Amino acid sequence: MRRAQQEMAMAAIEEGQGRRFLGALSGPGEIVRQFTPNWFAVTMGTGILAVALGQFPQSRVLFGTGEALWIANMVLFVGFSALYLARWVLHFDGACRILGHSSMSMFLGCIPMGLATIVNGFLLFGGAHAGNMAVDIALALWWVDVALAFACGLGVPFLMFTRQTHTIEQMSAVWLLPVVACEVVATSGALLLPQIGDANLQLSILMTSYVLWACSVPLALSIIVILFLRLAIHKLPHAGMAPSSWLALGPIATGALAMFVLAENGPAVLAASELGTLATAIGGASFLTGLILWGYGIWWAVMASLVTAWYFRNPVPFNLGWWAYIFPLGVFALASIKLGDLLALDFIAWVGGALVAALALVWIAVIVRTLGQAWQGKLFLAPCLSDDLRVSSCGQDAQTTR
């Protein structure tokens, strides 16, 4: 009886500590030691909502809210970047463990994708704050993002092939994250095109954007095929991975959006160059490719909704993975709005608007829970430190202890 009372008392104390500011951590320094790149999914989700609201300039409230979110997102991105850089400086050996971790390493792709939303925001909202400098800033950041996306798109798969341990049964849609970064940056490049005055620079951005798209979408579609097989054989993953059901929609919707914007802005760039004879053909092929991907996205959006409803028959534990509900939905909403504009079909544009409304509601639900658990310190946890994985330096292979 006394032992049971003692256990209840200890549980009450732990619960009380967990509710205090950073009560779940041994100290504030743990924020840096435990900081992981999946926090950049917060900037992805917040950024895509800001860009989505920026599609409604006729509404001062919606556009202004999007602008405020974009500014807040820049603050978040700078803060997260400082924390993650500090981890590499202060806890180098611990930070290196992510290179051998089969799931956390995938979230490195969130960094360039989060930055891409900031680049897009400069094109939408930056003029009111930086004037003509906004485009120059966006262009400079875009080239940085190109390098980051290529590094993630090549580096993480190389680590998968050489250092990490994977099985089909343990596979999840997070495999897509480092691969998708290139096509997200390609979309930003396509949006930059009409803002650039130099014809040669326009052509360079256009060709780079197509190459980025090609380095991402075909590989992502291949991964989705394997993911379908894994789900059919081994069924859905545990409830903690419930949000990952939306991740497959991300590369499909982003690939469609990139093609729509390239179809809209690319032909004029080609017409002004020696490739003018190809402008109409490439523009038409881009639009058709985008339309096919958008249609494919409908299937995954409906399937993800059904899977989500299936999971939420029971409580689903909250974690940073819940941000996976937001970015794919946001990109699909943007692709729908752009398709409606290109075809002058109000119905599709209204569908896009409805998706933006749903996006805002999901973002509110997720940000509230994120802020609450971040305050308590519960979200600062690096699985690559707690798992039975040793990586003594970045130059050595990961070894799993037995």
Side-chain angles (χ1 to χ4, degrees), residues 23-269:
L25 301 178
S26 59
E30 282 293 284
I31 293 178
V32 174
R33 195 177 77 89
Q34 299 279 356
F35 195 83
T36 49
N38 55 345
W39 276 97
F40 286 91
V42 179
T43 67
M44 290 171 59
T46 303
I48 201 65
L49 177 59
V51 172
L53 293 175
Q55 306 305 306
F56 304 95
Q58 67 276 13
S59 171
R60 293 180 59 184
V61 173
L62 294 180
F63 191 84
T65 302
E67 185 177 13
L69 285 173
W70 170 67
I71 294 172
N73 198 44
M74 286 192 290
V75 174
L76 284 175
F77 189 89
V78 171
F80 290 169
S81 299
L83 285 171
Y84 196 47
L85 179 60
R87 186 187 181 198
W88 278 93
V89 172
L90 300 176
H91 306 282
F92 184 77
D93 287 343
C96 278
R97 293 192 181 191
I98 195 173
L99 303 181
H101 199 271
S102 59
S103 60
M104 289 309 300
S105 59
M106 305 300 156
F107 291 97
L108 290 168
C110 294
I111 299 175
M113 289 191 281
L115 181 56
T117 66
I118 294 173
V119 173
N120 298 349
F122 267 105
L123 301 178
L124 276 172
F125 312 113
H129 302 273
N132 295 330
M133 286 287 294
V135 175
D136 296 332
I137 296 172
L139 179 61
L141 290 176
W142 183 75
W143 284 115
V144 172
D145 216 14
V146 169
L148 289 174
F150 264 123
C152 290
L154 292 173
V156 175
F158 181 74
L159 292 172
M160 295 174 70
F161 301 161
T162 57
R163 299 182 62 172
Q164 300 171 6
T165 300
H166 296 272
T167 64
I168 294 297
E169 183 177 359
Q170 295 176 339
M171 176 198 184
S172 71
V174 297
W175 281 23
L176 293 164
L177 291 175
V179 173
V180 176
C182 281
E183 62 185 273
V184 173
V185 179
T187 305
S188 299
L191 292 170
L192 269 169
L193 292 175
Q195 310 294 329
I196 305 297
D198 185 281
N200 290 328
L201 181 56
Q202 278 185 320
L203 187 60
S204 296
I205 294 173
L206 178 66
M207 293 298 105
T208 302
S209 297
Y210 272 113
V211 170
L212 286 167
W213 190 95
C215 286
S216 177
V217 176
L219 182 56
L221 294 178
S222 301
I223 294 173
I224 290 173
V225 171
I226 302 172
L227 178 65
F228 188 101
L229 177 64
R230 177 253 177 268
L231 292 172
I233 295 176
H234 300 291
K235 308 311 174 189
L236 295 173
H238 58 82
M241 293 292 293
S244 67
S245 60
W246 285 88
L247 289 178
L249 178 62
I252 298 169
T254 306
L257 178 61
M259 284 290 104
F260 289 151
V261 182
L262 286 169
E264 182 180 38
N265 298 332
V269 175

Side-chain angles (χ1 to χ4, degrees), residues 323-380:
W323 286 92
Y325 289 123
I326 297 175
F327 189 80
L329 177 61
V331 180
F332 190 63
L334 289 174
S336 300
I337 292 172
K338 178 57 67 176
L339 179 60
D341 290 342
L342 293 176
L343 295 178
L345 291 177
D346 291 340
F347 171 73
I348 297 179
W350 277 103
V351 169
L355 291 174
V356 172
L359 173 69
L361 293 175
V362 176
W363 181 87
I364 291 171
V366 175
I367 192 66
V368 168
R369 295 182 183 222
T370 301
L371 292 174
Q373 295 207 14
W375 172 269
Q376 299 169 26
K378 293 180 178 179
L379 297 180
F380 296 101

